[in-house]
Every structure is written in structure tokens, then in C-alpha cells.
Amino acid sequence: MEKNDDKDPDHNDKSIIEEKADVVSDAHPPDESDGNSKENVDAGNAETEHDPEDKVESQGEEIQQTLESLSEELDQLLSSLSLHKEEHKDDNTEEKEKGDHEDDDYFQIPQFVGKFLDLLEDKLSKYDSGEPKTVWYQDQEEVSSLLEAVDRVSNLMRLLLNTKSCLDHHEPLINHAGSIQQRAMAFLEDEFRILLEESVIKETTDDTGSQRKSTEDAVVSQDNDQVTAPEPGDQEIEYPGYSEDVVALLRKIAEKMKAGGYGWECREVYLVGRRNILMRTLKQNCEFEKVSIDEVQKMSWGELEREIPIWTKTFKNCSSFFFPGELKLAEKIFPGEEGSLFCIVAHGLTIQFLGFAEAVAMTKRSTEKLFKILDIYETLRDSFPPMEELFPEELRSELRNEVTSVRSRLGESAINIFSDLENSIKSDSSKTPVPGGAVHPLTRYTMNYLKYSCEYKDTLEQVFKSHSKMEQEEEEVPANNSACSAFASQLMRIMDLLDGNMEAKSKLYKDIPLSCIFMMNNGRYIVQKIKGSAEIHEVMGDTWCRRRSSELRNYHKSYQRETWGKLLGFLGHEGLMHNGKIVKPNLKERFKSFNATFDEIHKTQTTWVINDEQLQSELRVSITAVMIPAYRAFMARFGQYLDPGRQTEKYVKYQPEDIEDLIDELFDGNTSSSSTATAKRRT
């Protein structure tokens, strides 16, 4: 409301007061012997009774117009009285110096002030009793009218309470104005709470995945007062999702309440409301709920494994999305106070985040916890720095120290888990060989574990560098290994332990060829895992892989020699001829021995297992390449010396093609195929 500034510059404050309400400004309180004096004072103290019909007539637009008219007069009065008070303040200062100060700041209050207070009370009553409830802030004129009226009451109260003579002579008016101000502030407090909690713009996602505002009104139900944190690639949503008009109104209400001495109450409403909304938002978007350290300690690993991804998602979203939004909102509504308000909203939640992380680090160690612990470690490492920048400087060092302590606990826990893996390999001394020489479960577990560990290679290297207490063991790293970090050293040590463990387990097999198959199976599995993972291959290096592949070829040769070398001995010429003639009994015995030995090999090695198809194919091809040419040549050279018919049938059990087919049955782990060897014979 614009004040009337079209006044004569020489028109002093006393004449204005007299024009408006015959206010006596004689610098002296009335003589109490004058019987009319107290009546005049009381008449101006808003104690005057009003006809109820007058209040009824003052409803609707007439109230607004009357308030506007009285507001203009009140503005001029307050301005004049303020100027009058300042002038007498200067006079009193001079009189104090002379030692003859008297109470000369007395002034009377016009009756229209009481009328203004009554009309404002009527307006507040209308808002409170409207059916349906009046949403006053949807009308900009109503907003301006009410907030300006509340501001005038605050200014009036400030002037009255800061003037000694008013405290002595206008107590009824002060009480009346104070009551109206208190009611107005209570109303604004309630409306501030409603706006804060129910005016978040609902966000929806269309079929294309882009974010758009709904067409609903800005004021929506409390059930829909949340927004969705954007996934990577989505358009940014302005969190917390209030419209600019609502934020502007919240700020105006906060300013008016602060000006009226109710700033603390407004801040309390804001803090309680935003904390509740933030927690509801985190629960809706991240499924996050506060969990105490004691509750974490009591959780099973299965429960904790489900909680940790929720924690990491929530922490990341708070760092990049929710906390910055809270700080911006506080800055818009409470400029100059946003730091302290944001801290109260976010600091406790941040400490709770760190408490959860520390509680996880303190749980009983087990190898399966490593990756979740590293997830927490990475989240703190990557998402805390931008989060700490949101807090005031005095809190950053405190939070930074907390995070450093938690990361240290997590890092030490991760290193100890690696040590536990090392110890588990050392302590695995089972004496039961794996059937068929298959890949040992310890090999599968260890290699898969290391493969996933190497996906955290950079983090683990940082962990070992920052938190390892085992530096003295680093000399075990091979000199030609380019990855000579503490983590690489630990990885190489685990691989050596696994290799030694498998070597010991291979000796559990009484059949040497089977022990070779076992070592080939496990060695091939290890090499394939390393080659299939760029991360672990980078750590182990090409030199290590070439050395392991060479070892596999040696096991292959040993298998060939121990199994098929003996069989090839039956296909030699030694002992089959005497004086240039074939010794038939020896030839017959040679065929019988070959058949029996081959049958035994087939029967046994069809039950052996090679899961790697490439290794299985390589072995079969190499066996065929050795056996078939030798058998074919033996048959061509000596088969003609057996009588056709029954004798040939008895001693020549397999044709070369039969042998080839039966070799292709080896290493299937099929126990039923051994009895079908004779059925493969071609006729």
C-alpha cells in the first residue's frame, strides 16, 4: 500500500495528528484531575464497543476496502509518531545532559486504530471459519492485504512497547493489539506449515522418460508432496519442487513473522516440516529408513546386504540432489540464515549415515562382505566431498574427521577380509579328491572372488596403500611384474597359495593321468578367468599368463605320456617277428592287450570331467592325432596275418574309425557310456 506522500514539507507531525484524530501532542500527559482526560485516552485505546451489526457489514470486499482506507491512515499516523518520537528523543537527550528531563513523549491514539484492529480480527476469523476452508493465498490481493495489515500491527506494537508513556497510559490498547498480533502470527504459522507441507509440485514421468510437471494445481495433497530423484540422463528436477510463487509467499510470511518477533517459531515450523518431508522423500525414493548402530549390529548378513545398497543410493542422492535442494530452499526463504537452518535439517542425517557405515565396518568379518564394504568406501570417497561443501566451515572439519575415521575402519576391514581369504586357502586341507578331476570348488570360489575384487582394483589399491599394515610383505612381488602395488602383491600371494593348494590336492589322486587332468582343469579355469577380465589381467600381467599356459602344456604332455604312451607301446613291431616271419601267438596277444587296455582307458576316462569345451576338444584332437595314425598303420601292417572270419573277429575288435568315435566320448563325466564301448564297433 503506498503511503500518502503529497504533504506540505512544512506541515509538522503535530498538525497531521490533529487533522487525523485530534491527537493532543503537548509533550505532557493529561492532568488526572481532569475528568475528561482518562475518558479521552480510553476512547482511543480500542476499548470502544462496536455494534455487532457493524462487524457483519464489514465482511467481504467492504472489509478489504475499509482496511485499505484505515491502513493508509495508520501508515501516516505511524510515520508521524515515529518522527515525533525521534524528535523528542533528541530533546530528551539534551534535557538529560541538563538534568531536568521530564516524560514528554506522551501522545494519544486515535480511535480508528482500534477499528483497524477489530477489522483485522474479523478478517482472520473469516479465514479460520470459512466453509470450505478459505485458501487465502490463492488471491494475490488478499495476500498483500493480510501481510501488510500484520506488518502494521507489528510496527504499532513495536512503537507502543518502545514508548514509556504508552506503557503507562495505553495498556488496554497494547493488550488488544498484542492479542491480535499473536492471533495473526498463529494464523501465519499454521499457513506457513500448510504451504510447506502441501504445496510441493507433483512430478511425473511421461512415456519418453523425460520429467514434466503435472497439470494439477500447485497445492496438492500431502500424499503427493514428493519428487523423484533423477536417474542419470534424466532432465534435472528442481528439488524440493515448490513453485516460485509458493517460495515467494513462504519468504514473505517468514519476513513478517520475524519482523513481529516470531522468527523463532517460524524457523521451528520450517525445520520440523522440512525434516519430515525429507525423510518421507528418502523413504519413497530410496526406501531409506533410519537404522541405529545397535540395529545394524543385530542384523543378519542377508538383511544388511539389502540395507547397504539403500544406504549408498540415499547417500549419493543426498550429496548430489536432496541436500543441495534443501540449502537452496533455505536460502530463498531465510536469506542470511540458510546455513544454520540447512545444518539442522541435514547434519543429524549425515551423522546417521556415517554411523551406519561405521557399524557395518564393525560387524564380524567374512569374505562375502568385502564388496559391500567397498561400495560404502567408494560412496564416502566420491560423494562426501561435494556434500561437505554445503555445510558451514565450522562443521566441515568435524564431518571430515568423522568420514576419515569411518573410511579407515572400512579400509582396515577390507584388508582383513583379504587376509581371511588367504587364510582360508591355507587352511583348506580337505582329503577328498573332486570326482573326475573337475575344477575344485575352492578354485571356482577364489577366482570368482578375485575377479569381482579386481572390478574394485583402483579402490583396493587405494585401500591397501592408505590402510595396509603389511608393507613388509611387498618384497614378494615379482620384479618383472608391472603392477607392483600393495594390492597386486596381495593378489599374487593369493594366486601362489591357490596354486600350491591345488598341487597338493592333485596328489590325492592315485591315477597320475587323472591328477594331470585335475591340474589342467584348474589351471585352465584360472587362466580363462584372468583372460576374461581386463581388470585382473592388468594386475597379473601377460608374463604370468604365459608361464601358467606353459605349465598347462606340461601337464598335457604328462597326461599323454602316462595314458596313451603305454597304449602306443602295443602298436610297436618289437617281438612280433622272428627270422623274418610273423609270430602269430605274439600278434594275437598284442591285439588282445591293446583291446583290453583301450577298453579300460575308455571305461575310466569317460567318467573324467573337462568342463572347458576348448580344453576338452584340444585333448581329444591330440589323442586322435597320436593314436589313429599309429593304429591304422599297425592294422595295415599286421592285420593281414590273421585268418579272415572268426579269428579276425576275435582279435581285431576295433577299426580305426571305432577308436576315433570312442575317443570323442572321453571326459564327458558320463558313467553310462563305458559299457557301450563294444557297441561302437563297426561291422
Side-chain angles (χ1 to χ4, degrees):
M1 187 66 62
E2 295 182 358
K3 296 181 181 179
N4 185 1
D5 294 326
D6 299 330
K7 301 192 291 287
D8 187 338
D10 297 326
H11 195 148
N12 62 34
D13 60 309
K14 180 177 178 182
S15 61
I16 293 174
I17 297 170
E18 290 173 346
E19 288 175 6
K20 292 297 179 183
D22 296 326
V23 177
V24 178
S25 182
D26 56 3
H28 294 284
D31 187 350
E32 293 190 8
S33 62
D34 185 352
N36 295 327
S37 296
K38 189 176 188 307
E39 292 177 4
N40 291 336
V41 173
D42 293 342
N45 287 341
E47 296 265 307
T48 306
E49 295 294 331
H50 301 286
D51 192 320
E53 293 183 2
D54 293 338
K55 290 189 177 183
V56 174
E57 292 175 357
S58 66
Q59 301 296 324
E61 293 187 6
E62 186 177 340
I63 290 180
Q64 184 175 346
Q65 293 171 356
T66 304
L67 272 177
E68 288 181 348
S69 174
L70 295 179
S71 295
E72 185 176 347
E73 295 184 66
L74 183 57
D75 286 342
Q76 296 183 38
L77 175 65
L78 291 173
S79 176
S80 300
L81 293 179
S82 296
L83 181 60
H84 170 77
K85 181 175 175 61
E86 287 299 319
E87 290 177 350
H88 282 286
K89 180 179 179 182
D90 295 337
D91 294 341
N92 290 341
T93 301
E94 294 177 1
E95 292 175 1
K96 280 183 180 180
E97 293 175 354
K98 297 177 182 179
D100 56 353
H101 168 64
E102 296 182 14
D103 184 12
D104 59 357
D105 63 347
Y106 172 77
F107 51 80
Q108 287 187 329
I109 305 298
Q111 291 189 20
F112 75 79
V113 174
K115 179 66 174 176
F116 175 87
L117 295 173
D118 289 342
L119 292 176
L120 176 56
E121 186 173 23
D122 289 341
K123 180 183 282 287
L124 293 172
S125 298
K126 181 188 72 171
Y127 293 148
D128 287 338
S129 62
E131 292 296 340
K133 185 173 178 60
T134 303
V135 185
W136 63 280
Y137 43 77
Q138 290 182 346
D139 186 335
Q140 289 298 320
E141 292 185 4
E142 284 288 292
V143 170
S144 297
S145 175
L146 178 63
L147 294 182
E148 288 174 5
V150 172
D151 204 28
R152 291 185 180 95
V153 173
S154 296
N155 291 336
L156 176 64
M157 283 296 295
R158 189 160 46 250
L159 183 66
L160 294 174
L161 293 175
N162 290 333
T163 305
K164 183 179 183 303
S165 65
C166 290
L167 295 174
D168 296 336
H169 300 285
H170 300 307
E171 182 178 355
L173 176 64
I174 293 174
N175 291 337
H176 187 200
S179 174
I180 299 300
Q181 184 192 36
Q182 186 175 14
R183 179 172 181 179
M185 292 300 172
F187 173 79
L188 290 182
E189 181 180 323
D190 288 340
E191 295 302 311
F192 188 90
R193 180 185 297 107
I194 292 171
L195 278 168
L196 195 69
E197 294 183 352
E198 298 185 6
S199 299
V200 182
I201 298 176
K202 183 180 180 183
E203 299 284 345
T204 59
T205 305
D206 59 21
D207 294 337
T208 64
S210 62
Q211 300 294 328
R212 58 178 174 82
K213 292 182 179 179
S214 70
T215 56
E216 299 178 14
D217 292 336
V219 181
V220 297
S221 69
Q222 189 168 341
D223 292 339
N224 294 327
D225 67 350
Q226 311 302 336
V227 294
T228 302
E231 296 296 331
D234 284 345
Q235 296 178 3
E236 182 180 357
I237 305 169
E238 187 67 24
Y239 173 83
Y242 296 103
S243 69
E244 293 182 3
D245 290 342
V246 169
V247 172
L249 180 54
L250 287 168
R251 178 170 175 168
K252 288 179 181 177
I253 293 176
E255 289 172 348
K256 300 308 179 187
M257 292 187 69
K258 181 180 179 181
Y262 287 77
W264 184 88
E265 288 81 355
C266 185
R267 287 191 295 271
E268 277 298 298
V269 170
Y270 177 85
L271 292 172
V272 172
R274 285 312 311 165
R275 275 194 299 238
N276 291 339
I277 292 171
L278 178 59
M279 291 309 300
R280 286 200 303 269
T281 303
L282 295 182
K283 182 175 182 180
Q284 174 181 320
N285 289 279
C286 308
E287 301 180 9
F288 174 80
E289 294 188 43
K290 288 186 177 180
V291 182
S292 69
I293 293 178
D294 289 340
E295 289 173 324
V296 173
Q297 295 289 326
K298 294 176 183 178
M299 283 183 179
S300 67
W301 173 240
E303 294 173 311
L304 201 53
E305 199 172 19
R306 291 189 293 271
E307 287 292 329
I308 291 174
I310 293 174
W311 181 93
T312 56
K313 177 182 179 182
T314 305
F315 194 94
K316 291 176 182 178
N317 282 338
C318 282
S319 175
S320 63
F321 186 64
F322 294 119
F323 281 8
E326 289 293 338
L327 181 58
K328 289 178 183 177
L329 181 67
E331 184 178 21
K332 290 177 180 177
I333 299 177
F334 299 94
E337 303 179 65
E338 67 274 4
S340 60
L341 289 170
F342 168 75
C343 286
I344 296 174
V345 171
H347 181 259
L349 183 57
T350 304
I351 294 298
Q352 199 277 332
F353 283 146
L354 300 180
F356 177 91
E358 185 172 22
V360 172
M362 294 167 59
T363 59
K364 185 178 179 180
R365 295 198 311 266
S366 59
T367 51
E368 68 269 18
K369 293 183 180 180
L370 174 67
F371 308 113
K372 295 301 181 186
I373 286 175
L374 292 176
D375 285 340
I376 297 176
Y377 187 94
E378 289 180 343
T379 300
L380 290 176
R381 179 194 66 195
D382 300 336
S383 297
F384 176 71
M387 180 185 289
E388 73 168 314
E389 292 298 320
L390 303 173
F391 289 91
E393 184 61 38
E394 59 269 18
L395 278 180
R396 289 180 193 172
S397 58
E398 173 200 329
L399 291 174
R400 198 177 297 122
N401 290 337
E402 288 282 346
V403 170
T404 299
S405 175
V406 173
R407 284 182 59 188
S408 179
R409 283 183 175 272
L410 291 166
E412 290 171 5
S413 180
I415 292 171
N416 289 330
I417 287 175
F418 250 86
S419 298
D420 290 343
L421 175 63
E422 186 176 327
N423 293 331
S424 69
I425 296 174
K426 291 178 181 177
S427 62
D428 190 324
S429 56
S430 60
K431 301 300 182 182
T432 304
V434 178
V439 177
H440 198 280
L442 180 62
T443 300
R444 291 184 183 276
Y445 177 80
T446 303
M447 292 309 301
N448 282 309
Y449 195 86
L450 294 180
K451 177 180 180 294
Y452 288 120
S453 297
C454 285
E455 292 181 4
Y456 294 84
K457 178 176 67 68
D458 294 339
T459 300
L460 281 167
E461 287 181 352
Q462 180 183 4
V463 165
F464 274 93
K465 181 179 179 180
S466 303
H467 310 290
S468 178
K469 298 177 181 179
M470 298 178 290
E471 294 84 355
Q472 67 276 10
E473 298 180 39
E474 291 187 5
E475 65 271 11
E476 296 182 19
V477 182
N480 61 349
N481 184 17
S482 59
C484 56
S485 67
F487 169 62
S489 171
Q490 186 77 3
L491 192 65
M492 297 293 288
R493 189 162 44 249
I494 289 174
M495 295 301 300
D496 290 342
L497 286 171
L498 180 62
D499 188 53
N501 189 291
M502 292 302 107
E503 187 74 36
K505 284 178 168 45
S506 71
K507 293 179 171 55
L508 298 174
Y509 297 99
K510 296 179 180 180
D511 195 330
I512 293 178
L514 182 55
S515 71
C516 292
I517 292 293
F518 174 78
M519 292 303 293
M520 279 191 284
N521 269 326
N522 286 271
R524 184 60 168 258
Y525 185 86
I526 291 171
V527 170
Q528 292 301 103
K529 280 292 181 180
I530 292 175
K531 288 183 177 180
S533 169
E535 292 82 7
I536 193 170
H537 184 269
E538 181 181 351
V539 176
M540 300 306 296
D542 290 329
T543 301
W544 189 94
C545 290
R546 284 194 296 269
R547 186 175 68 249
R548 181 51 63 95
S549 297
S550 177
E551 292 172 0
L552 288 177
R553 288 192 293 271
N554 290 333
Y555 285 120
H556 189 161
K557 291 176 182 177
S558 296
Y559 164 78
Q560 290 273 58
R561 183 176 60 254
E562 291 293 331
T563 299
W564 303 101
K566 292 179 180 180
L567 193 61
L568 286 172
F570 295 119
L571 302 179
H573 297 178
E574 296 80 3
L576 295 180
M577 299 186 68
H578 183 70
N579 296 327
K581 294 183 179 180
I582 297 297
V583 181
K584 279 192 174 183
N586 291 352
L587 180 60
K588 293 176 181 178
E589 186 61 30
R590 186 69 61 83
F591 271 110
K592 286 175 64 177
S593 297
F594 176 88
N595 293 337
T597 303
F598 180 79
D599 286 346
E600 183 61 29
I601 291 172
H602 180 270
K603 177 182 178 181
T604 301
Q605 297 196 15
T606 51
T607 65
W608 293 359
V609 179
I610 296 180
N611 296 119
D612 185 272
E613 293 183 358
Q614 184 178 351
L615 177 60
Q616 185 186 71
S617 176
E618 288 174 0
L619 277 172
R620 288 173 176 172
V621 168
S622 67
I623 294 168
T624 299
V626 170
M627 289 304 304
I628 298 305
Y631 187 72
R632 197 183 299 277
F634 186 81
M635 284 288 294
R637 175 71 175 82
F638 298 104
Q640 58 184 317
Y641 293 103
L642 296 175
D643 297 336
R646 182 171 148 312
Q647 197 173 62
T648 301
E649 200 118 334
K650 182 177 180 181
Y651 296 106
V652 182
K653 187 175 182 180
Y654 300 111
Q655 295 298 317
E657 294 80 4
D658 299 327
I659 298 292
E660 191 171 355
D661 288 344
L662 292 171
I663 289 173
D664 285 342
E665 292 181 354
L666 301 179
F667 317 122
D668 271 338
N670 186 357
T671 56
S672 63
S673 65
S674 60
S675 62
T676 65
T678 55
K680 292 288 184 180
R681 179 181 177 185
R682 301 189 180 213
T683 57

